[in-house]
Amino acid sequence: MNEWIHRLVEIVTPQSKAPVIAIDPEGLLQFPEIMTLCEQRGYSCILAKPGIEARITFELKIRDKPNILFIIEGMYKPLPDIALASKVITISLSMLFPFFDSKALSGLTYNAYCTLDSLKPYQVLGFEGTIRFLLENLYSIDIESLKKFQTKERIIAVVIDVLFNNDSPNMAILTWLKQQLRPFFGAISENLLNKDFLLNYISSAKNSLEKSDLDFSDPILQKAANTLIVNRQLLLKDSIENKNSLIIPKKNNIDREKEIAANIEERIPLIQNQQRDWFEIGRLLGELSLLVFENNNEQSLDRYYTLLSDLNDRFQIFIKNAYMSLHSLSGTRYPVTVHKVLDYIRAQSHKKKALFVIDGMNLWQWQLLKQKIEENKIACSDVPSFAWLPSITAWSRQALFKGAKPILSEDNSKETTLFTEYWLKQGYQSYQISFTTFSKTSEIPDSNVTIAGFVCNDLDTIMHGAIMGNQQLYVDTKTWIESSKIVTFFEALLKEGFTIYVTTDHGNIEAKGIKNLSLSTRNLSKSRGKRHIQFVDEKTARSFIEQNPHLSVGLAGSSIYLKDTSAFTSNPCVVTHGGSHLLEMVIPMGVLQK
């Protein structure tokens, strides 16, 4: 649990015989996640607006009743008789985030507060310092670069990045954006903070036959605009408008494939060592991969594998320079690494939650499954994550169900116990928790269960048997989605009130065999993956690397893993995992709701 959440819940749920009145001008107690935690501590939450509504509600529902948390939605000064009959607490951002300016924080999202809680500054920040901290850490805006190259193109790119971020900006951030826009755009500055207006403005500028107001050759603007295009929020001349007035592409699969490939090619030189960039590209890569395999064109396949190789080379730089630092980030906003998935699920306010882990599912297989899910009118949103490194089942799945770093001397055989123990520590009772392996005959959990865990090994088995590579895996995955009745099972879970979190422990890639190693050179394998070796000790692992300088390998303790598309096997073609390739490490998670 984040420190700010723990402190807030402790403050408003004291041991008191009198009802508690929490004056909540910032709306912090109105986040469903916070209310759920207060209820778990035995309090009933009742909300009212200041003034006469608060008075009437207090007399009818609150007075003389213990274990009531009466939340006032705004500033309020209780009359003396109400104050005497209750415990009054005023909630402020300063008591929870003392290093930041409260006015600059006001109105942020729940996820934004959770992110800030894990990124404390080294000194107390004023209003402007807090704004800068938010822009740099929530929205990945390079303020120094913006100061040096303050052009209208860069300002528009910043506005795009902020407005289309998952964490919507507060009034302080919007005011800052308007100040940046005004010198360049004057009277329309405020209008440009409206998503629809901004999209139409960019579309008109890009489609203009005459000289455009914006220079789309600027690399930062180009990156931001291309992201909107590929996300189907913006298109050029051959577009249509949908009922939500956003501009949506009208393209066939071949055109869409070329569009995404071109976008990724343009973005490679601009990628930063930030997880956000790889999460965005990972989703696009999943869609591109699926389109390439569906179209099955030799020229497209050649271009795809060349692009994938270039992209993976850049990804290995990210792995080397930034991956390990991700382990300390909070999982509340999103599960940055696989061992934060349970923390992410715990932070959500849904009453009934089901984690569904499909072993070995990569990005494009998820896209294939997601298509079927959405065909059945199920709402599905994507949440990013990284697998454990090396990407083997024993460690990545152990980390997933444990909700913590794996013990490298152990495998994933105790995952039922690990999953149950995690939720017991969160205050759930054993009868509320279930865990099972999914099959066609699987049944919906008992009505008392509010936390359900499922693991499905089918795709992992199919993947290891795909001796003809990705084309065979594509056909086999489509067949499995239909024959397994997995989407029908999702529908049944949703009908019982579950929100479903579908994810995996690692992805997979088509690899080429380079050599076989005798078992005497390594420990007994904890994985069927052919891109990882665990030696007796780190010294032996380093010795192996020195003796094989032609191999593209990384070192993790006493283990080595392959970075490219090679595999430790004599087979010329194999679909496997265990390395640090982009398609092994960037893994999907879909949140399914009614």
Side-chain angles (χ1 to χ4, degrees):
M1 184 185 297
N2 286 77
E3 184 180 325
W4 80 274
I5 298 173
H6 176 77
R7 187 175 181 190
L8 177 58
V9 173
E10 286 285 325
I11 290 171
V12 300
T13 58
Q15 292 184 344
S16 173
K17 294 182 179 179
V20 175
I21 295 180
I23 301 170
D24 185 29
E26 298 296 339
L28 300 177
L29 292 172
Q30 296 159 54
F31 289 126
E33 297 85 351
I34 302 296
M35 294 183 68
T36 297
L37 290 171
C38 293
E39 290 168 356
Q40 288 176 356
R41 289 174 64 91
Y43 273 77
S44 297
C45 298
I46 299 175
L47 285 78
K49 292 188 173 7
I52 189 65
E53 181 181 325
R55 180 77 201 200
I56 293 172
T57 303
F58 183 83
E59 297 300 341
L60 295 178
K61 299 180 179 180
I62 311 298
R63 186 182 286 276
D64 299 329
K65 294 180 181 178
N67 299 325
I68 296 290
L69 177 58
F70 186 30
I71 303 169
I72 307 297
E73 304 173 62
M75 289 303 299
Y76 178 64
K77 184 176 181 179
L79 293 173
D81 66 309
I82 293 179
L84 287 172
S86 59
K87 182 176 180 63
V88 180
I89 301 168
T90 300
I91 304 301
S92 68
L93 284 165
S94 60
M95 69 170 59
L96 303 171
F97 299 95
F99 290 94
F100 297 100
D101 183 89
S102 296
K103 291 182 179 178
L105 292 187
S106 180
L108 290 175
T109 65
Y110 173 79
N111 284 335
Y113 288 129
C114 291
T115 300
L116 289 178
D117 192 57
S118 62
L119 296 171
K120 295 180 177 64
Y122 296 108
Q123 59 186 1
V124 177
L125 300 177
F127 182 83
E128 291 185 2
T130 300
I131 292 294
R132 175 170 180 153
F133 193 92
L134 295 177
L135 290 165
E136 292 179 338
N137 291 279
L138 293 183
Y139 304 105
S140 303
I141 304 300
D142 186 342
I143 298 297
E144 286 302 316
S145 176
L146 186 63
K147 286 181 178 179
K148 292 178 183 178
F149 306 100
Q150 196 167 42
T151 65
K152 56 185 176 182
E153 287 78 19
R154 298 295 172 96
I155 299 299
I156 285 291
V158 168
V159 173
I160 292 171
D161 286 343
V162 173
L163 292 189
F164 289 90
N165 191 282
N166 289 333
D167 288 321
S168 55
N170 63 1
M171 187 56 65
I173 296 293
L174 290 173
T175 300
W176 182 88
L177 289 174
K178 186 163 43 173
Q179 291 169 352
Q180 310 310 306
L181 287 165
R182 190 172 289 119
F184 299 101
F185 299 96
I188 67 167
S189 297
E190 187 164 354
N191 293 336
L192 286 169
L193 297 179
N194 176 280
K195 285 184 180 180
D196 288 353
F197 186 94
L198 178 63
L199 288 171
N200 287 326
Y201 177 82
I202 296 170
S203 179
S204 297
K206 248 185 170 295
N207 287 331
S208 176
L209 297 176
E210 301 176 3
K211 186 176 179 180
S212 171
D213 289 339
L214 296 173
D215 179 6
F216 285 94
S217 67
D218 179 274
I220 305 301
L221 176 58
Q222 186 180 79
K223 175 186 174 183
N226 283 346
T227 298
L228 293 177
I229 292 170
V230 174
N231 287 343
R232 298 176 180 254
Q233 293 166 309
L234 175 71
L235 195 69
L236 308 185
K237 296 178 181 178
D238 56 343
S239 61
I240 58 172
E241 289 192 3
N242 77 345
K243 61 184 179 181
N244 296 318
S245 76
L246 293 182
I247 303 171
I248 303 297
K250 188 177 183 180
K251 290 182 176 287
N252 59 37
N253 281 358
I254 295 175
D255 289 340
R256 177 66 176 163
E257 175 196 316
K258 291 177 180 178
E259 183 179 70
I260 298 176
N263 177 264
I264 293 177
E265 286 172 346
E266 290 174 357
R267 291 183 65 166
I268 291 177
L270 304 174
I271 297 172
Q272 305 296 311
N273 283 332
Q274 299 173 350
Q275 63 269 23
R276 176 185 169 188
D277 280 6
W278 292 107
F279 292 151
E280 290 177 356
I281 286 174
R283 184 184 59 77
L284 294 175
L285 182 61
E287 184 181 355
L288 173 63
S289 303
L290 183 56
L291 288 169
V292 168
F293 299 142
E294 285 177 344
N295 295 334
N296 196 21
N297 174 278
E298 186 174 347
Q299 186 177 357
S300 292
L301 285 166
D302 288 343
R303 180 186 183 185
Y304 166 74
Y305 284 118
T306 299
L307 174 61
L308 184 59
S309 177
D310 293 342
L311 193 58
N312 184 59
D313 287 344
R314 179 62 184 86
F315 182 69
Q316 297 312 313
I317 297 172
F318 167 78
I319 288 291
K320 179 181 178 180
N321 295 332
Y323 173 78
M324 293 305 297
S325 65
L326 303 179
H327 290 175
S328 62
L329 297 182
S330 167
T332 307
R333 185 183 182 196
Y334 49 71
V336 185
T337 52
V338 71
H339 73 299
K340 299 292 186 178
V341 166
L342 294 188
D343 287 349
Y344 175 80
I345 294 174
R346 175 170 55 85
Q348 309 311 304
S349 60
H350 311 112
K351 299 291 186 182
K352 301 177 76 173
K353 308 171 187 180
L355 171 62
F356 202 104
V357 178
I358 303 175
D359 195 320
M361 177 176 63
N362 68 22
L363 293 166
W364 64 261
Q365 289 175 298
W366 162 243
Q367 287 293 325
L368 202 54
L369 176 57
K370 185 181 176 184
Q371 285 180 2
K372 188 67 175 177
I373 289 169
E374 292 179 337
E375 283 176 11
N376 284 261
K377 310 301 182 184
I378 298 172
C380 179
S381 57
D382 287 300
V383 183
S385 191
F386 288 110
W388 196 261
L389 181 66
S391 57
I392 66 171
T393 298
W395 296 341
S396 211
R397 213 158 95 177
Q398 183 191 152
L400 202 165
F401 289 119
K402 185 180 181 181
K405 296 179 180 180
I407 298 174
L408 302 187
S409 60
E410 297 182 2
D411 57 22
N412 61 301
S413 59
K414 299 177 182 177
E415 55 196 22
T416 303
T417 300
L418 295 175
F419 182 77
T420 303
E421 287 179 348
Y422 176 92
W423 291 107
L424 288 174
K425 289 176 183 177
Q426 311 310 320
Y428 289 86
Q429 302 301 311
S430 57
Y431 68 85
Q432 295 177 290
I433 307 165
S434 72
F435 188 92
T436 187
T437 300
F438 170 76
S439 69
K440 291 180 183 178
T441 59
S442 291
E443 297 181 353
I444 301 301
D446 183 83
S447 59
N448 292 324
V449 172
T450 56
I451 297 292
F454 298 90
V455 63
C456 176
N457 298 311
D458 296 352
L459 275 191
D460 191 64
T461 302
I462 290 170
M463 175 254 294
H464 286 292
I467 59 174
M468 295 177 66
N470 281 327
Q471 286 300 329
Q472 179 185 349
L473 186 60
Y474 167 72
V475 174
D476 291 346
T477 302
K478 287 190 72 172
T479 302
W480 171 77
I481 291 172
E482 294 294 338
S483 63
S484 67
K485 306 295 183 184
I486 188 170
V487 177
T488 301
F489 189 75
F490 290 158
E491 289 178 318
L493 281 174
L494 292 169
K495 188 175 181 180
E496 291 300 316
F498 283 95
T499 296
I500 311 170
Y501 301 83
V502 184
T503 189
T504 186
D505 51 347
H506 56 75
N508 64 70
I509 64 164
E510 179 182 295
K512 297 177 181 179
I514 49 174
K515 64 189 300 185
N516 249 344
L517 302 174
S518 65
L519 284 176
S520 62
T521 64
R522 50 177 164 166
N523 288 343
L524 291 177
S525 176
K526 291 184 174 68
S527 171
R528 287 192 287 174
K530 296 177 175 63
R531 291 172 41 77
H532 155 266
I533 304 173
Q534 184 180 15
F535 293 93
V536 175
D537 51 39
E538 186 174 333
K539 182 179 178 181
T540 308
R542 290 186 179 277
S543 176
F544 176 87
I545 294 174
E546 291 172 1
Q547 294 169 24
N548 297 273
H550 62 288
L551 296 180
S552 178
V553 297
L555 178 69
S558 62
S559 296
I560 65 164
Y561 55 86
L562 289 163
K563 301 177 180 180
D564 55 10
T565 55
S566 304
F568 295 119
T569 178
S570 58
N571 296 329
C573 179
V574 62
V575 181
T576 187
H577 61 92
S580 62
H581 193 280
L582 173 60
L583 284 174
E584 295 170 299
M585 292 298 297
V586 180
I587 57 176
M589 183 162 85
V591 182
L592 279 54
Q593 301 181 69
K594 273 188 175 181

